[in-house]
Amino acid sequence: MLTPFMENHEYNLIKRLLGRLEYNIKTTADQKVISAIRHTTWTRVIEMFPAATEEQKRFFDRIPTLNRAEEFQAYLSELEQYVTAFPQVTEQQLKKLYPKIKKLKLPPLAELDFRFLTYIGWTDISTNKLFIVYNLDGKMTGIEGRFTPTNKKGVCCLCNKHEEVAFVTAQTKAKGSALDHFGRVGNYMCIDSAKCNQNITDVSQLERFMKDVLN
C-alpha cells in the first residue's frame, strides 16, 4: 500500500477525469477515440504529480487498463486511501484564529472527514458570516466574510461548479486598497462548504481570495 500523497482537490480532479473516461467508454463505439481518451486521461493525471515515485507511477499506469464499471469503482476505492488528511484542528485553535469574535460559532469538527477537506468552511446564520480556514503557505489561516444568499444556483468562484451560492464580501487589512475604494473583496461562493469540498479541483482561486483579504 502506498503512503498517502495527494490532497483532496487532486483526488477530486482524478475522480472527475475517471468519471469522464468511464462515460466515454460506455457511450463511444470508436475504439481509436476511446484509446485517445484513455491516454489523455492518464497523461493529465501523471502531469499532476511531476515528483511521483516509481510506485506511484505504477499505480497511475493502471488507468488506461480500466474498462468495466466495477474496475473503475475498485480503483476509486483504492484511490481514497492515498488522500492526505487536512491537518487536524481543535476548537481552541479555531478560536485563536478569530480572537476578536467572543462568541464564535464553531463547525462540528467531530462530524468532519478531514481526508476529504481542502478547507474548513462554515456559516453563522445569526450574523450572516461565512468562515474559511485553510492551510495557506504552510500556516493555518482563517478569514471571515459577510454573505448575502442569492436563493439560486450560480458558479462558485472556489470550485467552479454550479451550486447554491451566496455573495461573500470580506474586509481587507488595508482599507482603500487597490482592489476597491472600500477595502473589500467579494465573490460568489458555495453556501454549502461540504459540497464545495467535494467539487473543488484547484486551490488557486481559494488562495487568491484569501491573500486578497489578508494582504
Side-chain angles (χ1 to χ4, degrees):
M1 178 178 172
L2 294 173
T3 302
F5 64 94
M6 69 181 68
E7 297 181 7
N8 176 63
H9 69 281
E10 295 169 325
Y11 164 78
N12 288 341
L13 179 54
I14 296 174
K15 186 176 180 180
R16 186 177 300 178
L17 292 170
L18 292 181
R20 291 173 182 171
L21 173 59
E22 183 180 6
Y23 175 80
N24 278 282
I25 290 173
K26 289 179 180 178
T27 60
T28 305
D30 191 328
Q31 292 303 308
K32 289 184 178 180
V33 173
I34 292 176
S35 179
I37 296 171
R38 288 183 190 277
H39 180 74
T40 300
T41 302
W42 171 79
T43 300
R44 286 197 62 185
V45 172
I46 287 292
E47 288 176 347
M48 291 168 58
F49 303 95
T53 65
E54 289 303 315
E55 191 176 7
Q56 291 165 358
K57 290 177 182 177
R58 284 195 295 272
F59 175 69
F60 292 136
D61 284 345
R62 290 163 49 192
I63 290 174
T65 70
L66 301 176
N67 191 55
R68 299 190 304 274
E70 56 268 29
E71 293 173 346
F72 278 94
Q73 184 176 358
Y75 189 86
L76 287 171
S77 294
E78 189 174 350
L79 188 69
E80 290 183 0
Q81 303 173 53
Y82 306 131
V83 181
T84 58
F86 186 90
Q88 293 281 338
V89 294
T90 65
E91 291 186 352
Q92 193 59 36
Q93 287 172 320
L94 290 181
K95 289 178 180 178
K96 286 183 178 180
L97 294 177
Y98 302 97
K100 295 182 180 180
I101 304 177
K102 302 305 179 184
K103 295 183 178 180
L104 177 67
K105 178 186 176 182
L106 294 169
L109 294 178
E111 298 176 13
L112 300 179
D113 188 341
F114 283 79
R115 284 186 307 162
F116 302 112
L117 289 180
T118 293
Y119 68 92
I120 300 175
W122 73 100
T123 58
D124 184 345
I125 303 248
S126 65
T127 59
N128 277 3
K129 283 189 176 181
L130 180 141
F131 300 89
I132 292 176
V133 171
Y134 176 67
N135 191 24
L136 183 64
D137 297 330
K139 181 181 179 181
M140 201 60 64
T141 307
I143 62 171
E144 62 179 287
R146 291 198 173 275
F147 70 88
T148 304
T150 62
N151 299 315
K152 62 181 180 180
K153 287 193 172 185
V155 177
C156 169
C157 74
L158 304 183
C159 70
N160 202 35
K161 295 290 284 185
H162 202 250
E163 299 286 358
E164 292 285 344
V165 296
F167 189 72
V168 179
T169 57
Q171 179 74 49
T172 65
K173 281 193 173 182
K175 293 185 179 180
S177 68
L179 295 167
D180 66 26
H181 296 296
F182 302 100
R184 287 187 175 275
V185 292
N187 218 321
Y188 291 95
M189 298 181 188
C190 287
I191 199 73
D192 185 342
S193 297
K195 283 188 178 180
C196 195
N197 272 289
Q198 291 171 3
N199 293 333
I200 192 168
T201 58
D202 188 317
V203 296
S204 59
Q205 292 300 321
L206 170 61
E207 293 188 351
R208 182 178 302 170
F209 186 83
M210 294 195 71
K211 287 176 180 179
D212 282 346
V213 173
L214 297 169
N215 295 332

